[in-house]
Amino acid sequence: MTKTTALAIQIVTGDARPIFRQIVDGIRKEIASGILPTGSKLPSVRGLAMQLTINANTVAKAYNELTDLGLVESKKGLGLFVTQQQCTLSEEERTQKLEQATDNFINEVISLGFSHREIIEHIQGQLQTINKQDKER
């Protein structure tokens, strides 16, 4: 029997993103950072809904999107599992996505009143946390 991997995602009620998007983004981050390696079993729809105290349909919508993105796959009768990640983007496409994500981030935080230094320090702290987690595995 495969052990279900616990997810450390949180739902933020004041977030502009819908709840299902927060779930998708949280799981994508855990996959990208290696916290959820290939073959990890995700909690059931009902289990994650109970953990996050949200509607199961919202979790199902997030899981469907993750499946459509090719990040997870359903194994009949067993559940959802993280798939082998393949980088199919060219260097140019990767750079373009980085620029787009950076632009989106800046547009979101620019009006919050943080100094450039505070924003950079926060980003560096987040990257150090991910790097630390990588080394612990």
Side-chain angles (χ1 to χ4, degrees):
M1 180 172 198
T2 305
K3 183 180 175 198
T4 301
T5 305
L7 299 179
I9 58 175
Q10 294 181 341
I11 300 304
V12 179
T13 53
D15 196 314
R17 297 172 298 163
I19 293 172
F20 89 92
R21 172 63 49 211
Q22 291 181 52
I23 295 168
V24 170
D25 292 347
I27 293 173
R28 286 179 75 172
K29 181 178 176 184
E30 289 199 355
I31 292 171
S33 66
I35 294 169
L36 282 175
T38 299
S40 296
K41 182 178 180 185
L42 298 184
S44 68
V45 168
R46 186 179 301 160
L48 186 58
M50 287 175 44
Q51 175 189 328
L52 300 174
T53 60
I54 60 172
N55 189 297
N57 291 333
T58 304
V59 175
K61 184 174 181 179
Y63 278 5
N64 284 335
E65 181 157 335
L66 289 164
T67 302
D68 291 345
L69 292 170
L71 297 173
V72 298
E73 65 180 346
S74 177
K75 294 184 180 177
K76 199 82 165 165
L78 298 175
L80 278 178
F81 295 84
V82 176
T83 60
Q84 176 69 42
Q85 302 308 299
Q86 300 174 0
C87 187
T88 57
L89 301 177
S90 68
E91 191 63 32
E92 182 180 336
E93 291 169 320
R94 289 179 61 235
T95 301
Q96 186 177 21
K97 283 195 169 286
L98 175 62
E99 289 172 1
Q100 182 181 13
T102 305
D103 288 346
N104 290 341
F105 171 77
I106 290 170
N107 288 333
E108 286 285 324
V109 300
I110 200 74
S111 64
L112 298 177
F114 292 104
S115 69
H116 290 180
R117 175 183 224 87
E118 290 172 311
I119 294 169
I120 291 168
E121 287 174 356
H122 182 76
I123 292 170
Q124 287 174 331
Q126 293 291 326
L127 291 172
Q128 286 173 350
T129 299
I130 291 170
N131 190 31
K132 187 177 179 183
Q133 292 169 342
D134 286 346
K135 289 181 179 178
E136 291 174 354
R137 272 183 271 115

